[in-house]
Amino acid sequence: MQEIPKGANVSLTALSEDAGAVVVSLGWSSASGAGDADVSVLLLDENGKIRDENDFYFYNNPAAADGSVQLLGKVPTDNGDEDRISVDLTAVPEGVARIVVAASRYAGARFGDLDDLRMTVADRSGEPLVGYSIEDAGVETAFIFGELYRRGEEWKFRAVGQGYETGLAGLATDFGIPVLEDSEEAEEAGETGPAGEGDPAAAGEPAQAPAAVPVTGPGAEPFAEPTPTPTPTPTAASASVETAEAAAPVAVPAQTRGRGPRTTRKKVTLPKVAKKSLAENESWSQARLFPVPSLKSDREREVRATSVLLSVMAQVPEFGRRLTAGFGAPAGRMQTFTEVSLPHGDTPRRPDGVIRVERAGKLWTALVETKTNGNPLKAEQVQAYMDIAARRGYEAVITLSNDVALEGRPMVEVKIDGRRKHKVSLWHLSWAEVAHQAQLLIRHEGVGNAAHAWLLQELLEYLRHEQSGCHGFQNMGAAWVPVRKGIEDETLGLGDARTVEVVESWERLIRQVCLRLGGELGQKALPVQRARRGSDPQARRVAAADRLCADGKLSAELRVDGTSSVIAVSADLRTSKVRTSVDVPAPEGAYPLVMVKRLLRLLDGAPADLHVESLVELGPGAGPGSGPRGTLERLRPEPGDLLPVDGSAVVGFRLSLLKGMGSTRGNTESGFIRSVDDAVERFYHGVVAQLGPIEGRGGRRG
């Protein structure tokens, strides 16, 4: 990979012969684990302005209709996570001269508070081409990291590194995006009529994007009482089409919870609550498009699962694109195949599936190898498919199983012949990731029509069936039982290789927990890694294994995108308890007792066995110390019991729930995996979700 300084530029075609589609990555790290930023992409014309509202992509408008831009979201890495964006340069409209990649922070957070600011560009095979680091960030609240721009028939990359102290508003204004201040929005909201009068949605017409929205809204003060968020009402239907179009500039995203995608195309999602069943009793099974009860062998499950998934990918463009964009596939017409026979020495090979995408007369091809249940991928099989793909000029091999890939640890070891000019990339996809992406589309982001939504729902029903074999990571491995017993008996010694295996399984489990929680919430949920860029992931796992031997605990942290709170998860193998907790900072200047009462009101719907602990100030440079504590049930009638007797300043509160830990290594009702999954889900919905006023986008980021 070529490193360039700020302000430099380089030709992508000079770096790779396969630069027709690239993946742009923005990364940073944070000592607290909570620092984050929102990524946005702008397509600009020759004058440096967007052409219309469809040229602005962000978290609520993540994909271009033509497939040229796809925000892939955050992806876990060794040092935390990074935002990735797929850009198909062959699909970019002719009128676009520049593609600007930017990020912004909110609620007073600055880019100078983040470490390791970096941007990289990789080709479709995942090979990094060029990268650069931003080392002079300070008070800026928005940053242009870099841009892709045309020069004749080729595309070049420029390392920009330009910051804005005025946040997303200043950046947006520079590129022709109108931004309304809060007062202007309030005036416009007051001028519109009541709901239903002149409202296109009320008349059954697709709702159009609002004229503009404020970049900054009222900050969410900790422990503030919940208040309704005003939403702009569409202009009167009596306005002419020309006037309506002229008065509809691009919407800059307001960082508040609950706003839907602002695009002019209406998307279809399925209702969260299913319609009442017409069955006479629960023994009636609903007819399904993809039945599974007849499957008896693992081979049958693999064939059926591959065929079901690939057929839905081909029929639902948003879903197919979502799963393949990160693997370098172009945006184009997709066809999928199963059980294709390909020559390989004396014995032809039959990969489980083949994916082909056509764009502008060119083909992108990937071979698919599938496993279900706990069956592992076989290195010999994958190696054969890599060799076949290299000989036939295919671009990728995709492995699909219940296992979850770890950074720095390939799912299978294969040998790459460096003498071959054609590069083949090897990618892994877990069944949990497939279910996650399907749920995001049909529950939150939407698809093109109701039939596509129904297909995705049928796919989800298939994956969730107990006979499908596609339930995700479901086994802590052979080392789990002896390590757990060794900790209970105090016979486990430092350096035992089995503890590293357990730590790796724990890391896979936490990543799967994040996928399931994120799919339900419609937000990315990611593990938090408090490590600087370039640190050795295996050394980090060995250190975690040593801590497991010393204190008998497995620990992890995760964060839901759009929130600043970090959820800590700890499994104590000595006490067989799973602890989930979150630290809530105290607002400045609030009276201690008033602050406690407000917190207890916010937790009105939380479980009675929730443990609440006050965090007190110990002194300059020292972290918070433990103060009085109690269960929510005991503190509700006596909130003053949470205040320190010696008058120490309260700097925050720690909220914790304890749950019994499953003993077996699997995913059964009594299994360890199920107990951790249930503990995180109960804690988020029962506790973290109660802190809505604290967790809104307007009051987050750092």
Side-chain angles (χ1 to χ4, degrees):
M1 179 174 63
Q2 181 174 339
E3 290 287 332
I4 62 175
K6 177 180 174 179
N9 63 76
V10 63
S11 169
L12 295 180
T13 53
L15 298 176
S16 173
E17 297 179 356
D18 195 17
V22 296
V23 175
V24 177
S25 299
L26 303 187
W28 44 76
S29 62
S30 168
S32 68
D36 198 11
D38 282 334
V39 169
S40 53
V41 177
L42 302 96
L43 307 188
L44 309 179
D45 59 17
E46 290 286 353
N47 300 316
K49 306 293 182 183
I50 64 167
R51 300 168 304 161
D52 55 42
E53 71 273 9
N54 295 319
D55 285 343
F56 180 41
Y57 302 97
F58 56 101
Y59 63 89
N60 262 355
N61 183 33
D66 58 12
S68 57
V69 176
Q70 173 92 48
L71 271 60
L72 302 175
K74 291 177 172 56
V75 178
T77 65
D78 289 338
N79 310 115
D81 54 75
E82 65 183 19
D83 266 284
R84 294 181 182 172
I85 306 152
S86 171
V87 183
D88 187 349
L89 298 173
T90 64
V92 175
E94 287 293 330
V96 174
R98 295 162 55 198
I99 303 173
V100 171
V101 181
S104 53
R105 307 198 73 199
Y106 297 90
R110 306 173 301 177
F111 275 93
D113 300 329
L114 300 176
D115 301 317
D116 303 321
L117 290 169
R118 182 167 176 79
M119 178 177 183
T120 58
V121 180
D123 63 16
R124 71 168 77 244
S125 69
E127 183 72 23
L129 302 179
V130 59
Y132 91 104
S133 298
I134 298 175
E135 300 176 350
D136 57 351
V139 298
E140 299 87 355
T141 53
F143 243 102
I144 297 177
F145 277 66
E147 64 178 16
L148 304 169
Y149 64 98
R150 295 184 193 266
R151 275 296 180 268
E153 297 298 320
E154 68 173 352
W155 284 90
K156 304 185 76 174
F157 167 72
R158 179 182 291 115
V160 179
Q162 176 185 347
Y164 291 77
E165 294 183 34
T166 51
L168 184 58
L171 185 152
T173 302
D174 272 4
F175 298 118
I177 303 175
V179 179
L180 293 183
E181 300 298 334
D182 291 353
S183 57
E184 294 178 89
E185 185 197 31
E187 291 176 8
E188 287 204 357
E191 292 172 3
T192 56
E197 293 183 14
D199 189 343
E205 299 175 12
Q208 299 297 311
V213 296
V215 174
T216 57
E221 180 187 357
F223 310 129
E225 298 299 327
T227 55
T229 302
T231 54
T233 306
T235 55
S238 57
S240 65
V241 174
E242 293 78 13
T243 303
E245 290 178 353
V250 178
V252 175
Q255 300 302 302
T256 52
R257 181 181 296 275
R259 291 184 181 269
R262 294 184 186 88
T263 60
T264 55
R265 290 185 303 144
K266 188 174 180 63
K267 292 285 189 176
V268 177
T269 58
L270 294 180
K272 293 183 179 179
V273 179
K275 294 181 180 180
K276 183 180 178 181
S277 174
L278 302 181
E280 286 187 3
N281 54 61
E282 294 182 356
S283 66
W284 287 27
S285 298
Q286 185 173 346
R288 291 294 176 194
L289 181 64
F290 309 120
V292 290
S294 61
L295 301 178
K296 293 182 175 61
S297 69
D298 286 335
R299 181 56 187 162
E300 285 182 298
R301 290 186 181 92
E302 290 174 8
V303 172
R304 178 72 63 85
T306 305
S307 182
V308 168
L309 173 62
L310 296 189
S311 64
V312 175
M313 287 175 61
Q315 294 301 316
V316 185
E318 298 96 334
F319 183 59
R321 178 68 179 147
R322 178 68 63 89
L323 292 182
T324 58
F327 302 156
R333 183 172 66 96
M334 177 182 292
Q335 283 192 355
T336 54
F337 309 87
T338 59
E339 296 295 307
V340 175
S341 179
L342 297 173
H344 182 66
D346 297 333
T347 306
R349 293 281 182 157
R350 301 174 70 89
D352 292 311
V354 178
I355 302 172
R356 304 204 90 172
V357 182
E358 179 193 36
R359 182 166 187 92
K362 296 183 178 179
L363 287 175
W364 178 91
T365 306
L367 304 181
V368 180
E369 170 63 9
T370 303
K371 294 296 181 184
T372 57
N373 282 332
N375 297 313
L377 293 162
K378 298 179 180 178
E380 182 270 335
Q381 276 185 317
V382 178
Q383 183 68 66
Y385 296 144
M386 291 288 288
D387 294 340
I388 292 172
R391 287 198 307 269
R392 301 181 70 86
Y394 297 162
E395 283 72 23
V397 173
I398 301 172
T399 58
L400 180 62
S401 73
N402 282 316
D403 211 346
V404 179
L406 299 179
E407 291 295 326
R409 174 65 62 86
M411 292 302 304
V412 288
E413 296 285 351
V414 296
K415 297 178 180 179
I416 305 297
D417 190 346
R419 297 171 298 177
R420 293 185 185 274
K421 184 178 180 180
H422 181 75
K423 292 188 300 182
V424 179
S425 54
L426 177 62
W427 304 96
H428 180 72
L429 193 62
S430 72
W431 285 112
E433 175 71 18
V434 172
H436 167 79
Q437 296 295 351
Q439 191 167 19
L440 278 181
L441 284 171
I442 64 172
R443 296 298 182 195
H444 305 285
E445 298 177 13
V447 291
N449 58 58
H452 289 171
W454 176 72
L455 278 174
L456 287 177
Q457 179 62 40
E458 289 297 302
L459 171 64
L460 277 176
E461 292 293 337
Y462 177 87
L463 297 179
R464 291 167 178 166
H465 195 281
E466 59 184 8
Q467 289 294 327
S468 71
C470 306
H471 306 125
F473 180 71
Q474 54 188 348
N475 195 315
M476 289 294 290
W480 170 251
V481 172
V483 166
R484 181 173 58 80
K485 289 186 175 180
I487 290 175
E488 292 174 353
D489 302 337
E490 298 186 6
T491 57
L492 192 67
L494 285 173
D496 192 320
R498 294 174 298 181
T499 58
V500 178
E501 295 179 34
V502 169
V503 167
E504 290 176 346
S505 295
W506 169 253
E507 190 173 336
R508 291 186 173 96
L509 171 57
I510 293 299
R511 293 198 175 189
Q512 177 165 285
V513 168
C514 288
L515 286 173
R516 289 179 176 171
L517 182 63
E520 183 179 348
L521 300 177
Q523 298 279 6
K524 280 280 187 177
L526 296 159
V528 173
Q529 295 291 356
R530 302 178 189 268
R532 294 191 65 84
R533 189 180 305 279
S535 60
D536 182 9
Q538 194 58 25
R540 171 169 51 81
R541 292 172 188 132
V542 170
D546 290 342
R547 291 194 297 271
L548 174 62
C549 290
D551 59 22
K553 294 180 181 179
L554 291 165
S555 300
E557 294 177 316
L558 59 94
R559 178 179 54 81
V560 176
D561 188 29
T563 72
S564 58
S565 295
V566 173
I567 300 173
V569 186
S570 176
D572 192 329
L573 275 63
R574 289 176 176 164
T575 62
S576 295
K577 297 287 186 183
V578 177
R579 176 186 292 271
T580 45
S581 62
V582 66
D583 288 355
V584 181
E588 295 182 6
Y591 290 106
L593 185 57
V594 173
M595 179 172 56
V596 171
K597 288 181 177 179
R598 286 183 177 177
L599 174 63
L600 296 181
R601 280 202 300 271
L602 283 176
L603 295 171
D604 184 60
D609 59 342
L610 175 69
H611 288 242
V612 183
E613 175 187 0
S614 59
L615 303 176
V616 298
E617 189 175 29
L618 294 180
S626 297
R629 68 184 71 184
T631 63
L632 198 58
E633 183 178 31
R634 184 176 70 81
L635 291 170
R636 277 171 176 153
E638 297 292 341
D641 289 353
L642 207 54
L643 300 178
V645 177
D646 60 2
S648 300
V650 176
V651 296
F653 302 92
R654 179 164 296 152
L655 312 177
S656 306
L657 271 181
L658 294 173
K659 183 184 186 302
M661 188 185 82
S663 57
T664 61
R665 66 185 185 181
N667 194 31
T668 62
E669 290 292 340
S670 61
F672 174 72
I673 293 175
R674 180 73 61 85
S675 65
V676 174
D677 214 348
D678 291 346
V680 173
E681 183 177 8
R682 179 181 181 233
F683 184 72
Y684 186 88
H685 292 291
V687 180
V688 179
Q690 306 295 320
L691 304 174
I694 300 174
E695 296 303 321
R697 279 188 179 265
R700 55 130 175 155
R701 305 299 186 192

